[in-house]
Amino acid sequence: MPAPLPDSTPPRVRDAVAEAKVQLEALYGDRLARVVLRGPYRAYAETKRITEALFDLELAYDLSLAAQPYSEAEVADTGRPLVWNVEREGVAV
């Protein structure tokens, strides 16, 4: 079971997470069993840059593309489940 938000989570992040849950509940209704958001949250500017870079491609190819930047140190940490999943499910481009 995912852990709750830590007490140290900034208020703006808590508000965004609460609103995300409300929006997803409105979208999925009774079909939604629970909401689990994957972190870490990043500064909006970084996410916006990635989203803008991929948006036209998503429209042109009718796909949902996602990219998440990680440092070399984060990727080198082979003890992290994220790294296992990326290595197992990701594709090199």
Side-chain angles (χ1 to χ4, degrees):
M1 183 71 133
L5 285 173
D7 291 338
S8 60
T9 303
R12 70 181 180 84
V13 174
R14 287 184 173 282
D15 293 346
V17 168
E19 183 62 26
K21 182 177 180 183
V22 168
Q23 294 293 325
L24 292 170
E25 287 171 338
L27 183 64
Y28 289 98
D30 293 339
R31 297 177 295 152
L32 184 67
R34 68 182 180 150
V35 176
V36 177
L37 298 177
R38 185 179 64 84
Y41 56 86
R42 303 240 183 227
Y44 176 71
E46 182 70 21
T47 302
K48 183 179 179 192
R49 286 180 33 183
I50 293 169
T51 301
E52 288 174 349
L54 299 177
F55 183 74
D56 289 338
L57 294 173
E58 290 179 316
L59 291 177
Y61 290 94
D62 195 29
L63 293 171
S64 177
L65 301 172
Q68 183 69 48
Y70 290 98
S71 69
E72 288 289 332
E74 289 173 307
V75 173
D77 183 359
T78 59
R80 296 178 63 187
L82 169 69
V83 174
W84 303 337
N85 289 337
V86 168
E87 290 296 322
R88 186 178 69 239
E89 300 170 5
V91 293
V93 293

